[in-house]
Amino acid sequence: MNITLLANKDLASCLAINYLLPELAEHRLSVFLSSRVGSSKLAPPLEQMRFVEQDLLNEVLFPLLSRQGEMTTELIGFPGIRSRLEDRLCELNNINSKLGLAQLSATEPELVLSIRYGSILKDAAISIPQHGVLNLHSGRLPDYKGVMATFWALLNEEQFIGTTLHTIDDRCIDTGRIVAETTFAVQKEHSYLWHVLALYREGCQIISRAVQTIASGSMPKATRQSDAGRYFSFPTAADLERFSARGWHLFDSEDLLTVYKRFLPTGS
Protein backbone atom coordinates (compact mmCIF):
# COMPACT_ATOMS: atom_id res chain seq x y z
CA MET A 1 0.00 0.00 0.00
CA ASN A 2 1.22 3.52 -0.76
CA ILE A 3 1.29 5.52 2.48
CA THR A 4 2.19 9.19 2.78
CA LEU A 5 3.19 10.44 6.20
CA LEU A 6 2.89 14.12 7.15
CA ALA A 7 5.06 15.11 10.10
CA ASN A 8 7.00 18.04 11.52
CA LYS A 9 10.73 18.62 11.40
CA ASP A 10 11.23 18.09 15.13
CA LEU A 11 12.52 15.56 17.63
CA ALA A 12 9.17 13.95 18.45
CA SER A 13 8.31 13.44 14.77
CA CYS A 14 11.75 11.97 14.08
CA LEU A 15 11.31 9.57 16.98
CA ALA A 16 7.85 8.58 15.70
CA ILE A 17 9.15 7.92 12.18
CA ASN A 18 11.90 5.73 13.63
CA TYR A 19 9.23 3.70 15.42
CA LEU A 20 7.09 3.45 12.28
CA LEU A 21 9.75 2.52 9.71
CA PRO A 22 9.97 -1.18 10.66
CA GLU A 23 6.20 -1.37 11.19
CA LEU A 24 5.49 -0.03 7.70
CA ALA A 25 8.36 -1.80 5.93
CA GLU A 26 6.03 -3.77 3.65
CA HIS A 27 4.43 -0.57 2.37
CA ARG A 28 5.76 2.20 0.12
CA LEU A 29 6.22 5.13 2.47
CA SER A 30 6.69 8.78 1.46
CA VAL A 31 7.21 11.57 4.00
CA PHE A 32 6.50 15.31 3.88
CA LEU A 33 7.79 17.50 6.72
CA SER A 34 6.57 20.90 7.84
CA SER A 35 9.23 23.25 9.18
CA ARG A 36 7.17 24.36 12.19
CA VAL A 37 3.69 24.25 13.75
CA GLY A 38 1.77 27.51 13.61
CA SER A 39 2.95 30.90 12.48
CA SER A 40 2.49 33.02 15.60
CA LYS A 41 5.41 34.35 17.64
CA LEU A 42 6.00 32.15 20.67
CA ALA A 43 6.84 33.15 24.23
CA PRO A 44 10.62 33.00 24.88
CA PRO A 45 10.55 29.68 26.83
CA LEU A 46 8.75 28.03 23.90
CA GLU A 47 11.30 29.45 21.45
CA GLN A 48 14.04 27.96 23.65
CA MET A 49 12.32 24.58 23.55
CA ARG A 50 11.93 24.87 19.78
CA PHE A 51 15.67 25.42 19.55
CA VAL A 52 16.59 22.27 21.48
CA GLU A 53 13.99 20.00 19.86
CA GLN A 54 14.26 21.30 16.31
CA ASP A 55 17.02 23.78 15.39
CA LEU A 56 19.79 22.01 17.33
CA LEU A 57 18.93 18.72 15.64
CA ASN A 58 18.40 19.92 12.09
CA GLU A 59 21.10 22.56 11.91
CA VAL A 60 23.84 21.00 14.06
CA LEU A 61 23.49 17.33 15.07
CA PHE A 62 22.06 15.78 11.91
CA PRO A 63 24.41 17.63 9.50
CA LEU A 64 27.43 16.63 11.60
CA LEU A 65 26.35 12.99 11.68
CA SER A 66 25.69 12.98 7.93
CA ARG A 67 29.33 13.92 7.30
CA GLN A 68 30.44 10.81 9.18
CA GLY A 69 28.96 8.52 6.54
CA GLU A 70 27.33 5.15 7.20
CA MET A 71 27.10 4.38 10.93
CA THR A 72 25.24 1.98 13.19
CA THR A 73 22.93 3.98 15.44
CA GLU A 74 19.82 3.22 17.47
CA LEU A 75 17.91 6.10 15.88
CA ILE A 76 18.44 7.75 12.50
CA GLY A 77 17.93 11.43 11.73
CA PHE A 78 15.98 12.95 8.88
CA PRO A 79 18.89 12.65 6.38
CA GLY A 80 19.18 8.95 7.19
CA ILE A 81 15.42 8.50 6.89
CA ARG A 82 15.51 10.19 3.48
CA SER A 83 18.21 7.77 2.36
CA ARG A 84 16.30 4.80 3.77
CA LEU A 85 13.21 5.90 1.82
CA GLU A 86 15.19 6.42 -1.40
CA ASP A 87 14.69 10.20 -1.27
CA ARG A 88 10.94 9.98 -0.66
CA LEU A 89 11.22 12.62 2.09
CA CYS A 90 11.10 16.37 1.59
CA GLU A 91 9.90 19.55 3.24
CA LEU A 92 6.39 20.71 2.34
CA ASN A 93 4.73 23.58 4.17
CA ASN A 94 2.09 24.69 1.65
CA ILE A 95 0.34 21.37 1.14
CA ASN A 96 -2.98 23.05 0.28
CA SER A 97 -1.47 25.09 -2.57
CA LYS A 98 -1.69 23.94 -6.17
CA LEU A 99 1.94 22.82 -6.09
CA GLY A 100 1.54 21.17 -2.69
CA LEU A 101 -1.51 19.21 -3.83
CA ALA A 102 0.41 18.10 -6.91
CA GLN A 103 3.29 16.88 -4.73
CA LEU A 104 0.89 14.99 -2.48
CA SER A 105 -0.90 13.44 -5.46
CA ALA A 106 2.40 12.39 -7.01
CA THR A 107 3.01 10.00 -4.11
CA GLU A 108 -0.24 8.23 -5.10
CA PRO A 109 -1.28 7.80 -1.47
CA GLU A 110 -3.85 5.17 -0.63
CA LEU A 111 -3.64 6.35 2.98
CA VAL A 112 -2.30 9.53 4.56
CA LEU A 113 -0.99 9.52 8.12
CA SER A 114 -0.41 12.73 10.06
CA ILE A 115 1.76 13.25 13.14
CA ARG A 116 2.45 16.79 14.38
CA TYR A 117 2.10 18.23 10.87
CA GLY A 118 2.21 22.02 10.84
CA SER A 119 -0.61 22.78 8.37
CA ILE A 120 -4.36 22.20 8.58
CA LEU A 121 -5.45 19.99 5.69
CA LYS A 122 -8.23 21.37 3.54
CA ASP A 123 -10.83 19.44 1.56
CA ALA A 124 -8.78 19.05 -1.63
CA ALA A 125 -5.90 17.38 0.23
CA ILE A 126 -8.20 15.25 2.37
CA SER A 127 -9.96 13.88 -0.71
CA ILE A 128 -6.80 12.55 -2.37
CA PRO A 129 -6.10 9.29 -0.45
CA GLN A 130 -8.48 6.42 -1.13
CA HIS A 131 -8.60 5.36 2.52
CA GLY A 132 -8.62 8.85 3.98
CA VAL A 133 -6.40 10.54 6.55
CA LEU A 134 -5.55 9.36 10.06
CA ASN A 135 -4.01 11.79 12.56
CA LEU A 136 -2.20 10.86 15.77
CA HIS A 137 -3.01 13.62 18.23
CA SER A 138 -0.75 13.85 21.29
CA GLY A 139 -3.68 14.44 23.62
CA ARG A 140 -6.86 12.82 24.84
CA LEU A 141 -9.88 13.77 22.77
CA PRO A 142 -12.30 15.40 22.97
CA ASP A 143 -10.98 17.03 26.16
CA TYR A 144 -7.74 18.46 24.76
CA LYS A 145 -8.01 19.60 21.17
CA GLY A 146 -5.41 21.83 19.56
CA VAL A 147 -1.78 22.64 20.30
CA MET A 148 0.43 21.27 23.09
CA ALA A 149 -2.32 19.13 24.58
CA THR A 150 0.11 17.47 26.97
CA PHE A 151 1.18 20.83 28.38
CA TRP A 152 -2.41 21.76 29.16
CA ALA A 153 -3.13 18.36 30.69
CA LEU A 154 -0.11 18.68 32.99
CA LEU A 155 -1.06 22.25 33.89
CA ASN A 156 -4.56 21.04 34.75
CA GLU A 157 -3.01 18.39 37.04
CA GLU A 158 -4.33 15.41 35.09
CA GLN A 159 -3.06 12.05 36.38
CA PHE A 160 -3.02 10.51 32.90
CA ILE A 161 -2.17 11.78 29.43
CA GLY A 162 -2.35 9.95 26.12
CA THR A 163 -2.70 9.96 22.36
CA THR A 164 -5.76 9.73 20.14
CA LEU A 165 -5.76 8.30 16.62
CA HIS A 166 -8.62 9.89 14.72
CA THR A 167 -9.82 10.48 11.20
CA ILE A 168 -9.49 13.85 9.50
CA ASP A 169 -12.78 14.32 7.69
CA ASP A 170 -12.72 18.10 7.18
CA ARG A 171 -10.65 21.16 8.01
CA CYS A 172 -11.87 21.29 11.61
CA ILE A 173 -9.08 20.61 14.11
CA ASP A 174 -9.07 17.36 16.14
CA THR A 175 -12.80 16.71 15.69
CA GLY A 176 -12.64 13.52 13.61
CA ARG A 177 -13.90 10.08 14.55
CA ILE A 178 -11.81 8.29 17.16
CA VAL A 179 -10.10 5.08 16.00
CA ALA A 180 -7.91 4.24 19.01
CA GLU A 181 -6.40 5.76 22.14
CA THR A 182 -3.44 5.26 24.45
CA THR A 183 -3.04 6.18 28.11
CA PHE A 184 0.14 7.07 29.96
CA ALA A 185 0.56 7.83 33.67
CA VAL A 186 2.00 11.25 34.47
CA GLN A 187 5.41 11.17 36.17
CA LYS A 188 5.95 14.39 38.05
CA GLU A 189 9.74 14.05 38.16
CA HIS A 190 9.98 14.43 34.38
CA SER A 191 9.51 17.39 32.06
CA TYR A 192 6.80 18.26 29.56
CA LEU A 193 8.97 17.27 26.59
CA TRP A 194 9.85 13.94 28.21
CA HIS A 195 6.14 13.16 28.52
CA VAL A 196 5.49 14.11 24.89
CA LEU A 197 8.28 11.88 23.60
CA ALA A 198 7.13 9.02 25.83
CA LEU A 199 3.73 9.02 24.15
CA TYR A 200 4.92 8.04 20.68
CA ARG A 201 5.97 4.43 21.18
CA GLU A 202 2.42 3.29 21.99
CA GLY A 203 0.98 5.95 19.71
CA CYS A 204 2.86 4.47 16.75
CA GLN A 205 1.67 1.00 17.74
CA ILE A 206 -1.98 2.00 17.33
CA ILE A 207 -1.11 3.54 13.96
CA SER A 208 0.51 0.27 12.93
CA ARG A 209 -2.57 -1.74 13.94
CA ALA A 210 -4.86 0.61 12.01
CA VAL A 211 -2.64 0.30 8.92
CA GLN A 212 -2.72 -3.49 9.19
CA THR A 213 -6.51 -3.43 9.32
CA ILE A 214 -6.74 -1.21 6.24
CA ALA A 215 -4.17 -3.28 4.33
CA SER A 216 -6.23 -6.40 5.03
CA GLY A 217 -9.22 -4.87 3.26
CA SER A 218 -11.20 -3.52 6.22
CA MET A 219 -11.53 -0.13 7.84
CA PRO A 220 -10.87 0.38 11.54
CA LYS A 221 -13.92 0.99 13.69
CA ALA A 222 -14.25 4.71 14.35
CA THR A 223 -16.46 6.39 16.93
CA ARG A 224 -17.86 9.89 16.63
CA GLN A 225 -16.56 12.30 19.24
CA SER A 226 -18.86 14.00 21.70
CA ASP A 227 -19.14 17.79 21.61
CA ALA A 228 -17.34 18.10 24.95
CA GLY A 229 -13.83 19.42 25.44
CA ARG A 230 -12.19 22.61 24.24
CA TYR A 231 -9.54 23.85 21.83
CA PHE A 232 -6.17 24.94 23.25
CA SER A 233 -3.61 27.20 21.60
CA PHE A 234 0.03 27.94 22.44
CA PRO A 235 0.45 28.94 26.10
CA THR A 236 1.07 32.56 26.94
CA ALA A 237 3.82 33.88 29.19
CA ALA A 238 1.33 33.84 32.08
CA ASP A 239 0.42 30.20 31.38
CA LEU A 240 4.11 29.28 31.36
CA GLU A 241 4.64 31.05 34.67
CA ARG A 242 1.79 29.04 36.23
CA PHE A 243 3.32 25.87 34.79
CA SER A 244 6.68 26.67 36.34
CA ALA A 245 5.11 27.65 39.66
CA ARG A 246 3.59 24.18 39.90
CA GLY A 247 7.04 22.63 39.64
CA TRP A 248 7.05 21.71 35.97
CA HIS A 249 9.83 22.22 33.41
CA LEU A 250 9.34 22.40 29.64
CA PHE A 251 12.46 20.30 29.07
CA ASP A 252 15.32 18.83 31.05
CA SER A 253 18.90 18.73 29.75
CA GLU A 254 19.59 15.20 31.04
CA ASP A 255 16.48 13.80 29.38
CA LEU A 256 17.42 15.51 26.11
CA LEU A 257 20.97 14.19 26.20
CA THR A 258 19.64 10.67 26.72
CA VAL A 259 17.56 10.97 23.53
CA TYR A 260 20.27 12.75 21.51
CA LYS A 261 22.77 9.99 22.30
CA ARG A 262 20.48 7.47 20.63
CA PHE A 263 21.37 9.15 17.31
CA LEU A 264 25.11 8.67 17.92
CA PRO A 265 27.11 5.67 16.72
CA THR A 266 26.59 2.61 18.89
CA GLY A 267 29.22 2.44 21.63
CA SER A 268 30.31 6.08 21.30
Side-chain angles (χ1 to χ4, degrees):
M1 182 163 61
N2 286 348
I3 299 174
T4 298
L5 172 62
L6 309 177
N8 195 48
K9 208 172 180 180
D10 60 24
L11 177 59
S13 291
C14 192
L15 191 64
I17 296 172
N18 273 270
Y19 292 150
L20 284 173
L21 282 176
E23 299 294 327
L24 304 181
E26 65 184 78
H27 305 285
R28 186 179 188 275
L29 181 65
S30 302
V31 177
F32 290 121
L33 299 175
S34 56
S35 60
R36 65 181 298 161
V37 176
S39 57
S40 58
K41 182 174 176 58
L42 302 177
L46 296 181
E47 288 290 358
Q48 293 168 9
M49 187 174 67
R50 183 175 183 269
F51 171 77
V52 299
E53 68 168 341
Q54 190 162 351
D55 297 340
L56 187 61
L57 290 181
N58 294 313
E59 298 181 25
V60 180
L61 180 61
F62 292 162
L64 283 174
L65 292 176
S66 294
R67 294 173 193 166
Q68 304 303 311
E70 194 74 23
M71 300 178 297
T72 300
T73 60
E74 181 184 352
L75 298 175
I76 56 176
F78 291 123
I81 294 170
R82 178 184 292 111
S83 178
R84 185 79 59 88
L85 296 178
E86 300 177 341
D87 293 331
R88 294 190 306 276
L89 179 151
C90 66
E91 189 170 307
L92 177 59
N93 290 298
N94 299 316
I95 195 169
N96 297 299
S97 68
K98 184 176 180 180
L99 178 59
L101 291 171
Q103 289 180 266
L104 177 60
S105 295
T107 65
E108 300 181 340
E110 295 167 75
L111 174 68
V112 167
L113 301 174
S114 174
I115 302 176
R116 303 176 65 83
Y117 191 61
S119 296
I120 299 169
L121 300 186
K122 297 182 179 178
D123 292 345
I126 295 168
S127 67
I128 290 174
Q130 173 187 350
H131 299 303
V133 183
L134 293 178
N135 178 61
L136 183 68
H137 176 63
S138 58
R140 303 176 76 181
L141 295 177
D143 295 331
Y144 289 94
K145 303 180 181 76
V147 180
M148 293 183 64
T150 299
F151 171 91
W152 296 106
L154 296 179
L155 183 60
N156 290 338
E157 301 181 330
E158 301 282 3
Q159 297 302 303
F160 294 92
I161 56 175
T163 66
T164 307
L165 184 64
H166 66 91
T167 62
I168 295 182
D169 302 314
D170 53 42
R171 67 181 67 188
C172 296
I173 300 173
D174 299 332
T175 59
R177 293 163 291 138
I178 294 176
V179 173
E181 301 168 293
T182 67
T183 301
F184 187 84
V186 169
Q187 300 184 33
K188 184 71 177 184
E189 67 272 20
H190 289 295
S191 68
Y192 156 76
L193 185 56
W194 182 91
H195 282 87
V196 172
L197 298 180
L199 291 174
Y200 282 97
R201 186 174 293 278
E202 288 193 13
C204 289
Q205 289 174 358
I206 60 175
I207 289 178
S208 176
R209 289 195 288 269
V211 169
Q212 290 174 5
T213 298
I214 294 170
S216 70
S218 301
M219 290 301 293
K221 181 180 178 181
T223 305
R224 182 183 178 277
Q225 288 189 50
S226 72
D227 295 327
R230 57 173 288 195
Y231 175 86
F232 292 87
S233 188
F234 286 106
T236 64
D239 296 322
L240 292 164
E241 287 177 7
R242 287 195 294 132
F243 192 73
S244 178
R246 293 182 180 178
W248 289 106
H249 301 280
L250 286 177
F251 59 90
D252 178 84
S253 58
E254 290 299 321
D255 289 339
L256 281 168
L257 283 173
T258 298
V259 179
Y260 291 165
K261 288 178 181 178
R262 296 171 68 189
F263 292 97
L264 299 179
T266 303
S268 64

